[in-house]
Amino acid sequence: MNDVLVSICCITYNHEKYLRDALESFLMQKTDFVYEIIIRDDASTDNTANIIREYEQKYPNIVKPIYEKENGYKKGIEPISVTLKKAKGKYIALCEGDDYWIDEQKLQKQVEYMEGHNNCTLCFHNAEMLFMKSKKKEIYIDKRAAYKRYINSDGIYTASNIHLIRFGGSIPTASFMFRSKYAKNFPDFYFKCPCSDMPLKLIMTSYGYAYYMDDVMSVYRRETGTSVTDNWKNEQNTNEKIERHVNKMINTINDFDKFTKYQYTDGLKISKKYYELQSLLAQGKNREILKSEYKEYYKIQNKDQLCIKLLIKIYVPQLYKRYKKIMKN
């Protein structure tokens, strides 16, 4: 049987330093099914496209490239959606060009679970974060951390609680595997969100449930200069830019709530609180973050440590900046 079961969708832009690691990690996968690699270069200005051509020539039946002549991201084109249109697989696995996989059984493990559980629409796993400047390594989803205590013992998440992992942020993008049939016609709010993985996990879990594997099977590179997360956390971002960003995230949650006819309103409230707090900080309304209405959010984290951090940030901002610099190093 030659039908493609999994489509690996990879988006790249100026990833020449890292792309070989990603491609080799795809090709090392040991599976009892056929998979393809849909890789899109968004008009890179470095050697990224030539590296893709090299692999296209070596593996013409596996590597299916998309070469853009003009950068689509600058025009507002959502990068992942372009690769999804080309995908033939029943399942989609994601990995961006500056990340990579470290388990040769990754695809096999996820497919076996999803094939045996038809209501599972999204499968994800743990990862390692690699900070390129300091070479420091961390486990992405660390059960020991107090604010990640919402890891379910059975590994099952719905749209009501998927956002509790990393309190409304993201789960490792390079760990995503989902059913392609639910990715054919995304609602408009998916394309308006500045972080596509957030609405993706919400949309997928609204059709079934997500399953978490605690295996560390990928590496998420930080401080590469091409990461959306790193750019968002860049200290040079103005308060106005941060406020616009978080407001878009809040709008995405509201649109998803409407899309699902308000089935998950109560669960989504905590996720919204996280972004509301970020917006208040960006507006300089520091003291409002201590209001009792945010106590639900504080419960997700270690309450005492969080409040101490917030108080330092409000009343001794220079000390807080120094603390952040120390932690970064």
Side-chain angles (χ1 to χ4, degrees):
M1 185 176 71
N2 294 319
D3 292 341
V4 172
L5 187 65
V6 176
S7 296
I8 301 168
C9 290
C10 178
I11 56 174
T12 66
Y13 178 72
N14 287 354
H15 287 157
E16 68 173 353
K17 294 180 181 178
Y18 316 112
L19 186 55
R20 292 184 189 278
D21 288 341
L23 288 166
E24 290 295 334
S25 75
F26 304 159
L27 294 164
M28 79 174 183
Q29 292 298 303
K30 294 184 178 180
T31 66
D32 59 11
F33 52 80
V34 176
Y35 64 87
E36 64 179 356
I37 302 169
I38 310 295
I39 182 166
R40 175 179 181 263
D41 175 55
D42 201 9
S44 293
T45 58
D46 63 3
N47 201 41
T48 294
N50 289 331
I51 293 172
I52 296 172
R53 289 188 181 95
E54 175 188 327
Y55 279 83
E56 178 189 8
Q57 290 175 1
K58 286 184 179 179
Y59 307 96
N61 295 324
I62 301 176
V63 178
K64 314 291 177 62
I66 302 171
Y67 301 107
E68 301 291 357
K69 294 181 179 180
E70 295 182 315
N71 185 272
Y73 183 77
K74 293 179 181 178
K75 296 180 179 180
I77 297 173
E78 207 292 307
I80 293 176
S81 63
V82 178
T83 62
L84 293 178
K85 291 178 181 178
K86 299 286 186 179
K88 298 178 181 178
K90 178 180 179 181
Y91 300 106
I92 305 292
L94 299 183
C95 186
E96 297 183 6
D98 53 351
D99 298 329
Y100 60 101
W101 299 338
I102 52 176
D103 189 330
E104 62 187 16
Q105 295 288 328
K106 171 200 148 60
L107 293 182
Q108 187 71 36
K109 290 177 184 178
Q110 291 184 293
V111 165
E112 285 181 0
Y113 181 84
M114 296 188 77
E115 284 286 272
H117 301 81
N118 291 331
N119 290 330
C120 177
T121 49
L122 170 67
C123 183
F124 64 104
H125 55 74
N126 212 338
E128 180 180 272
M129 283 194 295
L130 174 59
F131 294 84
M132 300 306 294
K133 293 180 181 179
S134 64
K135 303 303 178 184
K136 182 176 67 173
K137 296 179 180 180
E138 291 180 6
I139 299 300
Y140 198 103
I141 300 175
D142 187 353
K143 291 184 179 180
R144 296 170 299 176
Y147 62 82
K148 294 169 187 170
R149 66 174 68 124
Y150 280 83
I151 300 296
N152 288 351
S153 59
D154 60 2
I156 292 176
Y157 292 84
T158 66
S160 294
N161 59 12
I162 187 72
H163 58 283
L164 292 178
I165 296 183
R166 297 183 66 80
F167 46 89
S170 64
I171 55 181
T173 305
S175 76
F176 277 51
M177 179 179 284
F178 52 90
R179 296 183 186 271
S180 62
K181 66 180 180 179
Y182 299 119
K184 298 301 181 183
N185 295 295
F186 282 134
D188 289 342
F189 67 82
Y190 170 83
F191 300 98
K192 296 177 183 177
C193 185
C195 301
S196 61
D197 55 342
M198 194 267 268
L200 177 59
K201 70 183 180 184
L202 289 174
I203 292 166
M204 287 298 151
T205 49
S206 71
Y207 291 111
Y209 71 85
Y211 183 71
Y212 168 66
M213 295 179 171
D214 199 40
D215 299 13
V216 177
M217 296 194 282
S218 63
V219 172
Y220 171 39
R221 280 194 175 100
R222 296 289 305 274
E223 302 173 334
T224 62
T226 58
S227 166
V228 173
T229 301
D230 288 338
N231 291 337
W232 145 243
K233 292 185 176 180
N234 189 322
E235 291 182 0
Q236 294 181 353
N237 282 338
T238 64
N239 287 341
E240 291 79 9
K241 184 177 178 181
I242 293 171
E243 187 180 352
R244 286 198 301 271
H245 176 94
V246 296
N247 285 338
K248 286 180 181 179
M249 300 299 275
I250 292 172
N251 289 338
T252 298
I253 295 171
N254 289 333
D255 288 339
F256 172 75
D257 202 15
K258 184 178 179 181
F259 173 72
T260 54
K261 299 181 179 178
Y262 308 101
Q263 295 180 63
Y264 309 105
T265 300
D266 290 341
L268 293 170
K269 283 180 181 177
I270 297 175
S271 191
K272 285 173 64 176
K273 293 299 179 188
Y274 166 70
Y275 292 111
E276 287 172 9
L277 286 167
Q278 297 298 320
S279 180
L280 288 172
L281 287 169
Q283 295 175 65
K285 299 178 180 179
N286 295 334
R287 301 191 183 209
E288 291 190 29
I289 67 178
L290 299 177
K291 287 184 177 179
S292 60
E293 66 184 275
Y294 296 110
K295 63 183 180 181
E296 287 181 90
Y297 168 70
Y298 298 147
K299 289 178 183 177
I300 298 177
Q301 301 200 52
N302 184 307
K303 188 175 181 180
D304 294 335
Q305 289 183 13
L306 175 63
C307 287
I308 290 170
K309 278 185 184 180
L310 293 175
L311 288 170
I312 292 174
K313 188 168 187 176
I314 293 168
Y315 296 110
V316 198
Q318 294 303 319
L319 181 60
Y320 182 78
K321 287 182 180 179
R322 187 176 178 184
Y323 161 80
K324 281 191 70 177
K325 187 175 182 179
I326 292 171
M327 292 302 293
K328 187 175 182 179
N329 294 331

